[in-house]
Each structure stands twice: as structure tokens, then as C-alpha cells.
Amino acid sequence: MNKQKLLASLPSVDEILKSEKGAKWQKTFPRRYVLQSIRDTIDDYRQSILKDSRKEFSLEEMLVDVQRHIEKRSELSLKPVINATGIVIHTNLGRSVLSEKVLENVKRIACSYSNLEYELEQGTRGKRYSHVQRLLNDLTGAESSLIVNNNAAAVFVCLAALAKGKEVIVSRGELVEIGGSFRIPDVMSSSGAVLKEIGTTNKTHLHDYENAINENTGLLLKVHQSNFRIVGFTKEVGIEELATLGKKHNVPVMFDLGSGCLVDLKPYGIHIEPTVQDIVKAGTDIVTFSGDKLLGGPQGGIIVGKSELIDIIAKNPLMRAVRIDKMTLAAFEAILMSYLDEETAKKNIPTVRMLLQDIEEIHARAKKIAAQLKKDLGTAHEEAASVAVVEDASQSGGGALAEVEFKTYAVAVKPVQLSANKLEERLRLGKPPVIARIKEDALILDARTIRDNEIADLVKGIRAALL
Ligand SMILES: *Cc1c(COP(=O)(O)O)cnc(C)c1O
């Protein structure tokens, strides 16, 4: 067929819309996407005919293309992925995974009216934070508490409420930047507090703090170094010493703990991360930490400390701008309940469970994945890839436990026909996407963060990517 005839034979948007398929699409997909997809497809065909790259076409093949366009357009952008990186608190992958049990409570509250800010006994207006305050106080030993949008907001609102126009003393070794442009000096200046740097990068002494205190000092601030460490010739002032100094001079002491752990990790051989309870007990006036890092909850910033200061923070107008919604609150109440019993917390909170799980459990999961994969690849297995279970190390992520390596087991898939980079890309673009890393020409799938109910999809995805 010549070009003009071919062009003239292209169907109109209306014709496709009125076809059997067109009618079906309009029932299942947004009409706007159906129309756009039909137009785009006709346009693609017209262009390829004009460029001589298409000499013929059938209506069926066009309809298949339209459908592909519609499906792509209608797909939800935010979707689940399989985390095979071994990084438990992966900020780019959504940090902590919530359990079904927590979600049940979110659903119970979100799909109904609730006593969010209503005092049922008195029939009067109630307080949003009252629902978690008792739990937080019980768990951390603090007098009072609040939860805001995230830990960045927690630090910001505390500085604004307690130290606006006043000096906040911070060690130069703790002026950190945490991913996503949270930098202590910048947060400080936008909150209206004045940064007073003391000490040096590697050494800060108690007398550095003491010498810097004057009548305009608003706070002594300690910041968790999060994902970096200074090693060698170093000195930092511990929170207990700092709390004592604060009391002596009547200046409140605040600790931005970052991750904030409620479970004692010492029995697991981790001695560098004190619990929130330890920090409160040391006499710290205000402690802030994230809800979705080691705690394993939804995004949130928890503030615990002395009642007198919490009351001042709660009254700051910024609190309204950083307040949490009922779904977050419902998730926190359920999670904090789990923490009342440490064994329950370890079992029910995915983040805690993945971090502290028994190495033999991880090994068994890795072996299961490898065996399943070999079985699914069948006789093609040898030609497609080498599959092996290897010992490796996972990280906690989330700026926590930066130097702790968690022994783990991973499945190493070394493709024969394609590069490891290509395999990584195919899996990343798969359904569901699988996120993994490459090491020495092999794709490393860390069994620590792969959940049992994801194994079937994972194996299917790898098989499809390899064959
Ligand atoms: C992660 C972190 C923050 C920011 O917490 P978000 O919950 O992400 O807002 C602040 N300070 C420290 C030390 C951190 O580790």
C-alpha cells in the first residue's frame, strides 16, 4: 500500500472509541486517559508511516498499543517494591514497614469518626496528643511528650519555642547534615535561634560548653552524629555530664537522637546506641527522635521531656503547622502498645524484627530463594545464571548504627547472557520492582529485608529478567 492510502486508512479516535474494546476501556479506565491514549497511538502510527518505518498495520495491533498506553497512564505512581538491599531503614524506599496489625488500627480510626480531639467523659474539646502521651511517658520514663510531623520538625519547633533569639551551644563535631538538606546550622537559623559553635571537629570538652554559657544561652544541644563518625583522637561530652552542667547553670539540655531506639540492643552485641530511656534517665530535658527509623512506626517526630518545657513547645503556633493526622496517631498508638512488651515488639514490628532476626532464619530464607530460583529456571539454569547463597553484611540505614555491620545471607545471581547491570535494571523496572545491589558482577539479593510473602514474586521476576 502506498503512503497516502495507508495514512487515509488510519482509524479515527471516534471509531476506536466506539469499538468493542473502546467501550470496555471506558468502563474500567478514566475516559480522559482512554482518549489521550487513542490519540497518542494514532499519532505514533502516523509518524511511523510518514517516516517509512511502517509499511502496513492491523487494527488489532493498534488496539493492543492503545491498551498498553492506557495501562501505563492509569498505573498508580506510588507502588510497593521488594527491598533486596538489606538496608532495613531505607529512606528512599519508605523507611519502616508497618504491620497489618498497626494498619488495622489505622483503618479503624480513618474510616470512622473518632474522639481525636474530643473528651468523651466531659463532652468537651480534647487534646490530640493525649492518646499517646501516657504510653510515651511510660515507655521512655519522661514526664511529658508530643508527636509532630517528623524529627526535623521536632528539632525545629523545639528550637523555635525554647531558644528563639537566644544562643544554642553545639559542638563543632555535631554540626551534621542529614540527607535531604537537614543541616543543623540551617535549621538553627531558620528557627530564629543563634548557633554558638564550640570545640573543634574532633574534640569538644565540658569546659568548652561551660565557657560558652552566658545570660543569653537558651539551650545546650547535643546532636546524634547519625551516619558519620569521627575516629581516632576524639573527645565528646556525654549526655550525663552535659545534663549536670545544664542543671548547674539552669539551662535546658536537648538531645536530637535521630533514630531513637526503645529496645536495649546490648544483648545483641550493639553497645553504641543508648535507648531513649537511658537518655531521659541521664537527666536530658528534651529528647527528639524519628518515628519511622529504629522505632519502626510511621513518619513522625517524637518529643519527650520535662513537662514544663513540653508545655511551652505545645503552645508554640508552629505546632499547628507540624501536627500529625489521625492516621499517624492511630499507627503510633498501636506501635507503642507493642513496645510495652519487648518480645511482642520484636515479633510485631517489622523494622525491629528485621534488624534483630536470627541469622539462621535469614540463612534459611536465602537458601529457600536460591532453591526456588534454580527450580523455576529448570534446565535453563546453567546457561542463564549462576545462583549461590553467600555470606554478606547488611546495614540498618536511617542514620542509625552507622558502623554496625549485621551479618547476613544473600542470594548472588550472576547472569551468563547479560550483564549484572542489565539484570539490575530489568528487576528495577519489573512488576513489582525489585531493588538490589551489584557486587563483583553479581546481583546481590539480601534475604534480611525480603519478606516471606514476596519470595514467589521475586523468583518470578528474576526468572523473567534472565530468560
Ligand atoms: C534522621 C535524623 C533527623 C531527621 O529526622 P526525620 O524524621 O527524617 O525528619 C534529624 N536529626 C538526626 C540526628 C537524624 O538522624
CSV table of all heavy atoms in Angstrom, one decimal, residues 246-292:
chain,number,residue,atom,x,y,z
A,246,GLY,N,24.0,21.6,82.6
A,246,GLY,CA,22.8,22.4,82.3
A,246,GLY,C,22.1,22.7,83.6
A,246,GLY,O,21.6,23.9,83.8
A,247,LYS,N,22.0,21.8,84.5
A,247,LYS,CA,21.3,22.0,85.8
A,247,LYS,C,22.0,23.0,86.6
A,247,LYS,O,21.4,23.9,87.2
A,247,LYS,CB,21.2,20.7,86.6
A,247,LYS,CG,19.9,20.0,86.4
A,247,LYS,CD,19.7,18.8,87.2
A,247,LYS,CE,18.7,17.9,86.5
A,247,LYS,NZ,19.4,17.1,85.4
A,248,LYS,N,23.3,22.9,86.6
A,248,LYS,CA,24.2,23.8,87.4
A,248,LYS,C,23.9,25.3,86.9
A,248,LYS,O,23.8,26.2,87.8
A,248,LYS,CB,25.6,23.5,87.2
A,248,LYS,CG,26.6,24.3,88.0
A,248,LYS,CD,28.0,23.7,87.8
A,248,LYS,CE,29.1,24.8,88.0
A,248,LYS,NZ,30.4,24.4,87.5
A,249,HIS,N,23.7,25.5,85.6
A,249,HIS,CA,23.6,26.9,85.1
A,249,HIS,C,22.1,27.2,84.8
A,249,HIS,O,21.9,28.2,84.2
A,249,HIS,CB,24.5,27.0,83.9
A,249,HIS,CG,25.9,27.0,84.2
A,249,HIS,ND1,26.6,28.1,84.6
A,249,HIS,CD2,26.8,26.0,84.2
A,249,HIS,CE1,27.9,27.8,84.8
A,249,HIS,NE2,28.0,26.5,84.6
A,250,ASN,N,21.3,26.3,85.1
A,250,ASN,CA,19.8,26.5,84.8
A,250,ASN,C,19.6,26.7,83.3
A,250,ASN,O,18.8,27.6,83.0
A,250,ASN,CB,19.3,27.6,85.7
A,250,ASN,CG,17.8,27.5,85.9
A,250,ASN,OD1,17.3,26.4,85.7
A,250,ASN,ND2,17.2,28.6,86.3
A,251,VAL,N,20.2,25.9,82.5
A,251,VAL,CA,20.0,26.0,81.0
A,251,VAL,C,19.5,24.6,80.6
A,251,VAL,O,20.1,23.6,80.9
A,251,VAL,CB,21.3,26.3,80.3
A,251,VAL,CG1,21.1,26.4,78.8
A,251,VAL,CG2,21.9,27.6,80.8
A,252,PRO,N,18.4,24.5,79.9
A,252,PRO,CA,17.9,23.2,79.5
A,252,PRO,C,18.8,22.5,78.5
A,252,PRO,O,19.5,23.2,77.7
A,252,PRO,CB,16.5,23.5,78.8
A,252,PRO,CG,16.4,25.0,78.7
A,252,PRO,CD,17.5,25.6,79.5
A,253,VAL,N,18.8,21.2,78.5
A,253,VAL,CA,19.7,20.4,77.6
A,253,VAL,C,18.8,19.6,76.7
A,253,VAL,O,17.9,18.9,77.2
A,253,VAL,CB,20.6,19.5,78.4
A,253,VAL,CG1,21.4,18.5,77.5
A,253,VAL,CG2,21.5,20.3,79.3
A,254,MET,N,19.1,19.7,75.4
A,254,MET,CA,18.3,18.9,74.4
A,254,MET,C,19.2,18.0,73.7
A,254,MET,O,20.3,18.3,73.4
A,254,MET,CB,17.6,19.9,73.5
A,254,MET,CG,16.9,19.4,72.3
A,254,MET,SD,15.9,20.6,71.5
A,254,MET,CE,16.0,20.0,69.8
A,255,PHE,N,18.6,16.8,73.3
A,255,PHE,CA,19.4,15.8,72.5
A,255,PHE,C,18.5,15.5,71.3
A,255,PHE,O,17.4,14.9,71.5
A,255,PHE,CB,19.7,14.6,73.4
A,255,PHE,CG,20.8,13.7,72.9
A,255,PHE,CD1,21.4,12.7,73.7
A,255,PHE,CD2,21.2,13.8,71.5
A,255,PHE,CE1,22.4,11.9,73.2
A,255,PHE,CE2,22.2,13.0,71.1
A,255,PHE,CZ,22.8,12.0,71.9
A,256,ASP,N,19.0,15.8,70.1
A,256,ASP,CA,18.4,15.3,68.9
A,256,ASP,C,19.0,13.9,68.6
A,256,ASP,O,20.1,13.8,68.2
A,256,ASP,CB,18.7,16.2,67.7
A,256,ASP,CG,18.3,15.6,66.4
A,256,ASP,OD1,17.6,14.6,66.4
A,256,ASP,OD2,18.7,16.1,65.3
A,257,LEU,N,18.2,12.9,69.0
A,257,LEU,CA,18.7,11.5,69.0
A,257,LEU,C,18.7,10.9,67.6
A,257,LEU,O,19.2,9.8,67.4
A,257,LEU,CB,17.9,10.6,69.9
A,257,LEU,CG,18.5,10.2,71.2
A,257,LEU,CD1,17.5,9.1,71.8
A,257,LEU,CD2,19.8,9.6,71.0
A,258,GLY,N,18.0,11.5,66.7
A,258,GLY,CA,17.9,11.0,65.3
A,258,GLY,C,17.0,9.7,65.3
A,258,GLY,O,15.8,9.8,65.3
A,259,SER,N,17.6,8.6,65.4
A,259,SER,CA,16.9,7.3,65.3
A,259,SER,C,16.0,7.0,66.5
A,259,SER,O,14.8,6.7,66.3
A,259,SER,CB,17.8,6.2,65.0
A,259,SER,OG,17.4,5.5,63.8
A,260,GLY,N,16.6,7.1,67.6
A,260,GLY,CA,15.8,6.8,68.8
A,260,GLY,C,15.4,5.4,69.0
A,260,GLY,O,14.4,5.0,68.3
A,261,CYS,N,16.0,4.7,69.8
A,261,CYS,CA,15.7,3.2,70.0
A,261,CYS,C,15.1,3.0,71.3
A,261,CYS,O,15.5,3.5,72.3
A,261,CYS,CB,17.0,2.5,69.8
A,261,CYS,SG,16.8,0.7,69.7
A,262,LEU,N,14.0,2.2,71.4
A,262,LEU,CA,13.3,1.9,72.6
A,262,LEU,C,13.7,0.5,73.2
A,262,LEU,O,13.5,0.2,74.3
A,262,LEU,CB,11.8,1.9,72.5
A,262,LEU,CG,11.2,3.3,72.2
A,262,LEU,CD1,9.7,3.2,72.0
A,262,LEU,CD2,11.5,4.3,73.3
A,263,VAL,N,14.4,-0.3,72.3
A,263,VAL,CA,14.8,-1.6,72.7
A,263,VAL,C,16.3,-1.6,73.0
A,263,VAL,O,17.1,-1.1,72.3
A,263,VAL,CB,14.5,-2.7,71.6
A,263,VAL,CG1,15.1,-4.0,71.9
A,263,VAL,CG2,13.1,-2.7,71.3
A,264,ASP,N,16.6,-2.2,74.2
A,264,ASP,CA,18.0,-2.3,74.6
A,264,ASP,C,18.8,-3.3,73.6
A,264,ASP,O,18.4,-4.4,73.5
A,264,ASP,CB,18.1,-2.8,76.0
A,264,ASP,CG,19.6,-2.9,76.5
A,264,ASP,OD1,20.4,-2.3,75.8
A,264,ASP,OD2,19.8,-3.4,77.6
A,265,LEU,N,19.7,-2.7,72.9
A,265,LEU,CA,20.4,-3.5,71.9
A,265,LEU,C,21.7,-4.3,72.4
A,265,LEU,O,22.3,-5.0,71.7
A,265,LEU,CB,20.8,-2.6,70.7
A,265,LEU,CG,19.7,-2.0,69.9
A,265,LEU,CD1,20.2,-1.0,68.9
A,265,LEU,CD2,18.8,-3.0,69.3
A,266,LYS,N,22.0,-4.0,73.7
A,266,LYS,CA,23.2,-4.6,74.2
A,266,LYS,C,23.2,-6.1,74.2
A,266,LYS,O,24.2,-6.7,73.8
A,266,LYS,CB,23.5,-4.1,75.6
A,266,LYS,CG,24.0,-2.6,75.6
A,266,LYS,CD,24.7,-2.2,76.9
A,266,LYS,CE,23.7,-1.7,77.9
A,266,LYS,NZ,22.8,-0.6,77.6
A,267,PRO,N,22.1,-6.8,74.5
A,267,PRO,CA,22.1,-8.2,74.4
A,267,PRO,C,22.3,-8.7,73.0
A,267,PRO,O,22.7,-9.9,72.8
A,267,PRO,CB,20.6,-8.6,74.8
A,267,PRO,CG,20.1,-7.4,75.6
A,267,PRO,CD,20.8,-6.2,75.0
A,268,TYR,N,22.3,-7.8,72.0
A,268,TYR,CA,22.5,-8.2,70.6
A,268,TYR,C,23.9,-7.8,70.2
A,268,TYR,O,24.3,-7.8,69.0
A,268,TYR,CB,21.5,-7.6,69.6
A,268,TYR,CG,20.1,-8.1,70.0
A,268,TYR,CD1,19.3,-7.3,70.9
A,268,TYR,CD2,19.6,-9.2,69.5
A,268,TYR,CE1,18.1,-7.8,71.3
A,268,TYR,CE2,18.3,-9.7,69.8
A,268,TYR,CZ,17.6,-9.0,70.7
A,268,TYR,OH,16.4,-9.4,71.1
A,269,GLY,N,24.7,-7.4,71.2
A,269,GLY,CA,26.1,-7.1,70.9
A,269,GLY,C,26.3,-5.7,70.4
A,269,GLY,O,27.4,-5.3,69.9
A,270,ILE,N,25.3,-4.8,70.4
A,270,ILE,CA,25.4,-3.5,70.0
A,270,ILE,C,25.4,-2.5,71.2
A,270,ILE,O,24.4,-2.4,71.9
A,270,ILE,CB,24.2,-3.1,69.0
A,270,ILE,CG1,24.2,-4.1,67.8
A,270,ILE,CG2,24.3,-1.7,68.5
A,270,ILE,CD1,22.9,-4.1,67.0
A,271,HIS,N,26.6,-1.9,71.4
A,271,HIS,CA,26.7,-1.1,72.6
A,271,HIS,C,26.8,0.4,72.4
A,271,HIS,O,26.9,1.2,73.3
A,271,HIS,CB,28.0,-1.6,73.3
A,271,HIS,CG,27.9,-3.0,73.8
A,271,HIS,ND1,27.4,-3.3,75.1
A,271,HIS,CD2,28.2,-4.1,73.2
A,271,HIS,CE1,27.5,-4.6,75.2
A,271,HIS,NE2,27.9,-5.2,74.0
A,272,ILE,N,26.6,0.8,71.1
A,272,ILE,CA,26.8,2.2,70.8
A,272,ILE,C,25.5,3.0,70.7
A,272,ILE,O,25.6,4.2,70.6
A,272,ILE,CB,27.5,2.4,69.4
A,272,ILE,CG1,26.8,1.6,68.4
A,272,ILE,CG2,29.0,1.9,69.5
A,272,ILE,CD1,27.0,2.1,67.0
A,273,GLU,N,24.4,2.3,70.8
A,273,GLU,CA,23.2,3.1,70.7
A,273,GLU,C,22.4,3.0,72.0
A,273,GLU,O,21.7,2.0,72.3
A,273,GLU,CB,22.3,2.5,69.5
A,273,GLU,CG,21.2,3.4,69.0
A,273,GLU,CD,21.7,4.7,68.4
A,273,GLU,OE1,22.7,4.7,67.7
A,273,GLU,OE2,21.0,5.7,68.6
A,274,PRO,N,22.5,4.1,72.8
A,274,PRO,CA,21.7,4.0,74.1
A,274,PRO,C,20.2,4.1,73.7
A,274,PRO,O,19.8,4.6,72.7
A,274,PRO,CB,22.2,5.3,74.8
A,274,PRO,CG,22.7,6.2,73.8
A,274,PRO,CD,23.2,5.3,72.6
A,275,THR,N,19.4,3.6,74.7
A,275,THR,CA,17.9,3.7,74.4
A,275,THR,C,17.4,5.1,74.8
A,275,THR,O,18.1,5.9,75.5
A,275,THR,CB,17.1,2.7,75.3
A,275,THR,OG1,17.4,3.0,76.7
A,275,THR,CG2,17.5,1.3,75.0
A,276,VAL,N,16.3,5.5,74.3
A,276,VAL,CA,15.7,6.8,74.7
A,276,VAL,C,15.5,6.8,76.2
A,276,VAL,O,15.8,7.9,76.8
A,276,VAL,CB,14.3,6.9,74.0
A,276,VAL,CG1,13.6,8.2,74.4
A,276,VAL,CG2,14.4,6.9,72.5
A,277,GLN,N,15.2,5.7,76.8
A,277,GLN,CA,15.0,5.6,78.3
A,277,GLN,C,16.3,6.0,79.0
A,277,GLN,O,16.3,6.8,79.9
A,277,GLN,CB,14.7,4.2,78.7
A,277,GLN,CG,13.4,3.6,78.2
A,277,GLN,CD,13.6,2.9,76.8
A,277,GLN,OE1,13.9,3.6,75.8
A,277,GLN,NE2,13.4,1.6,76.7
A,278,ASP,N,17.4,5.5,78.4
A,278,ASP,CA,18.8,5.9,79.0
A,278,ASP,C,19.0,7.4,79.0
A,278,ASP,O,19.5,8.0,79.9
A,278,ASP,CB,19.9,5.2,78.3
A,278,ASP,CG,19.9,3.7,78.4
A,278,ASP,OD1,19.3,3.2,79.4
A,278,ASP,OD2,20.5,3.0,77.5
A,279,ILE,N,18.7,8.0,77.8
A,279,ILE,CA,18.9,9.4,77.6
A,279,ILE,C,18.0,10.3,78.5
A,279,ILE,O,18.5,11.3,79.1
A,279,ILE,CB,18.6,9.8,76.1
A,279,ILE,CG1,19.5,8.9,75.2
A,279,ILE,CG2,18.9,11.3,75.9
A,279,ILE,CD1,21.0,9.1,75.3
A,280,VAL,N,16.8,9.8,78.7
A,280,VAL,CA,15.9,10.5,79.6
A,280,VAL,C,16.4,10.4,81.0
A,280,VAL,O,16.4,11.4,81.8
A,280,VAL,CB,14.4,10.0,79.5
A,280,VAL,CG1,13.5,10.5,80.6
A,280,VAL,CG2,13.9,10.3,78.1
A,281,LYS,N,16.8,9.2,81.4
A,281,LYS,CA,17.2,8.9,82.8
A,281,LYS,C,18.5,9.8,83.1
A,281,LYS,O,18.7,10.1,84.2
A,281,LYS,CB,17.6,7.5,82.9
A,281,LYS,CG,17.4,6.9,84.3
A,281,LYS,CD,17.4,5.4,84.1
A,281,LYS,CE,17.6,4.7,85.5
A,281,LYS,NZ,17.9,3.3,85.3
A,282,ALA,N,19.3,10.0,82.1
A,282,ALA,CA,20.5,10.8,82.3
A,282,ALA,C,20.2,12.3,82.7
A,282,ALA,O,21.1,13.0,83.0
A,282,ALA,CB,21.4,10.8,81.0
A,283,GLY,N,18.9,12.6,82.6
A,283,GLY,CA,18.6,14.0,83.0
A,283,GLY,C,18.4,15.0,81.9
A,283,GLY,O,18.3,16.2,82.1
A,284,THR,N,18.3,14.5,80.7
A,284,THR,CA,18.1,15.3,79.5
A,284,THR,C,16.7,16.0,79.6
A,284,THR,O,15.8,15.3,79.9
A,284,THR,CB,18.2,14.5,78.2
A,284,THR,OG1,19.3,13.6,78.4
A,284,THR,CG2,18.5,15.4,77.0
A,285,ASP,N,16.7,17.3,79.3
A,285,ASP,CA,15.4,17.9,79.5
A,285,ASP,C,14.4,17.7,78.3
A,285,ASP,O,13.2,17.6,78.5
A,285,ASP,CB,15.6,19.4,79.6
A,285,ASP,CG,16.5,19.7,80.8
A,285,ASP,OD1,15.9,19.6,81.9
A,285,ASP,OD2,17.7,20.0,80.7
A,286,ILE,N,15.0,17.6,77.1
A,286,ILE,CA,14.2,17.4,75.9
A,286,ILE,C,14.9,16.4,75.0
A,286,ILE,O,16.1,16.6,74.7
A,286,ILE,CB,14.0,18.7,75.1
A,286,ILE,CG1,13.0,19.7,75.9
A,286,ILE,CG2,13.4,18.5,73.7
A,286,ILE,CD1,11.6,19.2,75.9
A,287,VAL,N,14.2,15.4,74.5
A,287,VAL,CA,14.8,14.4,73.6
A,287,VAL,C,13.9,14.3,72.4
A,287,VAL,O,12.7,14.2,72.5
A,287,VAL,CB,14.9,13.0,74.2
A,287,VAL,CG1,15.6,12.0,73.3
A,287,VAL,CG2,15.6,13.1,75.6
A,288,THR,N,14.5,14.4,71.2
A,288,THR,CA,13.7,14.2,70.0
A,288,THR,C,14.2,13.1,69.1
A,288,THR,O,15.4,12.8,69.1
A,288,THR,CB,13.7,15.5,69.1
A,288,THR,OG1,15.0,15.6,68.4
A,288,THR,CG2,13.5,16.8,69.8
A,289,PHE,N,13.3,12.3,68.5
A,289,PHE,CA,13.7,11.2,67.6
A,289,PHE,C,12.6,10.9,66.6
A,289,PHE,O,11.5,11.3,66.7
A,289,PHE,CB,14.1,10.0,68.4
A,289,PHE,CG,13.1,9.5,69.4
A,289,PHE,CD1,12.2,8.5,69.1
A,289,PHE,CD2,12.9,10.1,70.6
A,289,PHE,CE1,11.3,8.0,70.0
A,289,PHE,CE2,12.0,9.7,71.6
A,289,PHE,CZ,11.1,8.6,71.2
A,290,SER,N,13.0,10.2,65.5
A,290,SER,CA,12.1,9.9,64.4
A,290,SER,C,11.1,8.8,64.8
A,290,SER,O,11.5,7.9,65.5
A,290,SER,CB,12.9,9.4,63.2
A,290,SER,OG,13.5,10.5,62.6
A,291,GLY,N,10.0,8.8,64.2
A,291,GLY,CA,9.0,7.7,64.4
A,291,GLY,C,9.3,6.6,63.4
A,291,GLY,O,8.9,5.4,63.7
A,292,ASP,N,9.9,6.8,62.3
A,292,ASP,CA,10.0,5.8,61.2
A,292,ASP,C,11.4,5.2,61.1
A,292,ASP,O,11.7,4.6,60.1
A,292,ASP,CB,9.4,6.3,59.9
A,292,ASP,CG,10.0,7.6,59.4
A,292,ASP,OD1,10.8,8.2,60.2
A,292,ASP,OD2,9.6,8.0,58.3
